[in-house]
């Protein structure tokens, strides 16, 4: 097979990394987050339901946010969690509709995942690091209340955001050929 030069999009997909630590102190501009979101929301969404909304925690509010979130952990974890929540420069909390219908719930979660991937790729392209976290606090009713979630909503994840000093090393991926089969009719 002839070797084809990778497109810019393919290159960004392969180069994107989850940035978990090593964030700079530089604030994450709200305008940048909104710009990225306005492109990311073009993700596939069944019946154009757009089952998402966003809570942005800017850099200047993060110390207060860290204390509030750490309060939802056992006392012995409080200091560690305050430090943990202060690591990124900002947060984007992705909230989604929690449909009662299983099919709609799956479709909506797929749309939200696609939108988050779009956001992460766009952020990477602009030098903004991110990692999508689904730690236990996203299921805590007290956290949901503190963030103003409605009864029909749930947290899809916390996106930790920040400009970073150094990109993490990439990890190898299993080639698709190793997980690929071709349907053969059984008739």
């Amino acid at each position: 097979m002839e070797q084809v030069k990778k497109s810019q999009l393919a290159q960004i997909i392969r180069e994107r990394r989850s940035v978990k630590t090593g964030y700079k102190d530089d604030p994450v501009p709200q305008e940048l987050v909104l710009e990225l979101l306005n492109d990311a929301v073009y993700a596939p969404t069944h019946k154009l339901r757009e089952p998402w909304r966003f809570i942005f925690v800017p850099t200047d509010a993060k110390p207060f946010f860290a204390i509030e979130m750490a309060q939802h952990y056992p006392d012995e974890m409080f200091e560690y969690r305050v430090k943990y929540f202060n690591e990124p420069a900002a947060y984007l909390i992705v909230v989604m509709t929690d449909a009662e219908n299983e099919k709609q719930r799956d479709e909506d979660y797929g749309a939200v995942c696609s939108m988050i991937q779009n956001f992460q790729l766009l952020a990477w392209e602009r030098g903004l690091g991110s990692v999508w976290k689904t730690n236990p606090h996203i299921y805590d009713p007290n956290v949901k209340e503190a963030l103003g979630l409605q009864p029909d909503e749930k947290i899809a994840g916390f996106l930790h955001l920040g400009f970073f000093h150094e990109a993490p090393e990439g990890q190898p991926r299993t080639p698709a050929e190793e997980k690929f089969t071709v349907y053969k009719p059984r008739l």
Side-chain angles (χ1 to χ4, degrees):
M1 183 180 225
E2 182 183 326
Q3 190 73 319
V4 178
K5 184 177 173 1
K6 296 277 181 214
S7 71
Q8 187 177 1
L9 177 59
Q11 185 176 339
I12 291 169
I13 289 170
R14 287 177 176 248
E15 290 176 356
R16 187 209 57 82
R17 302 286 178 264
S18 292
V19 178
K20 299 176 185 175
T21 60
Y23 295 103
K24 296 179 181 179
D25 292 332
D26 302 349
V28 175
Q30 178 177 320
E31 297 77 20
L32 174 60
V33 172
L34 282 168
E35 178 185 331
L36 299 174
L37 282 172
N38 277 317
D39 288 330
V41 297
Y42 280 84
T45 170
H46 193 75
K47 295 190 178 179
L48 209 56
R49 281 195 295 267
E50 300 179 307
W52 47 66
R53 73 178 181 90
F54 314 99
I55 301 169
F56 180 59
V57 180
T59 306
D60 60 348
K62 186 193 56 170
F64 305 103
F65 177 77
I67 291 169
E68 185 169 6
M69 290 298 107
Q71 291 176 2
H72 300 287
Y73 281 85
D75 290 343
E76 63 273 10
M77 293 181 72
F78 181 80
E79 289 302 320
Y80 168 77
R81 280 309 194 180
V82 168
K83 183 179 177 190
Y84 170 82
F85 282 111
N86 271 299
E87 175 68 26
Y91 287 90
L92 181 66
I93 301 161
V94 180
V95 177
M96 65 173 285
T97 307
D98 192 13
E100 290 184 23
N101 173 297
E102 183 179 17
K103 180 180 182 299
Q104 183 176 335
R105 189 169 47 248
D106 289 348
E107 290 169 350
D108 288 352
Y109 188 66
V112 169
C113 293
S114 296
M115 185 279 306
I116 290 172
Q117 173 71 352
N118 284 354
F119 181 87
Q120 290 183 301
L121 291 169
L122 292 161
W124 184 262
E125 182 180 46
R126 299 289 292 276
L128 179 64
S130 67
V131 62
W132 178 8
K133 294 284 193 164
T134 55
N135 292 346
H137 56 263
I138 73 167
Y139 305 104
D140 185 329
N142 296 317
V143 169
K144 293 177 183 181
E145 182 182 343
L147 294 173
L149 268 69
Q150 300 302 309
D152 66 338
E153 293 180 318
K154 67 180 185 176
I155 299 169
F158 278 42
L159 295 181
H160 298 205
L161 305 175
F163 299 100
F164 51 93
H165 294 285
E166 195 173 309
E169 288 290 320
Q171 300 297 316
R173 297 298 201 268
T174 304
E177 291 83 358
E178 293 182 29
K179 297 186 177 209
F180 187 84
T181 57
V182 176
Y183 169 77
K184 293 180 177 138
R186 295 190 285 173
L187 300 176

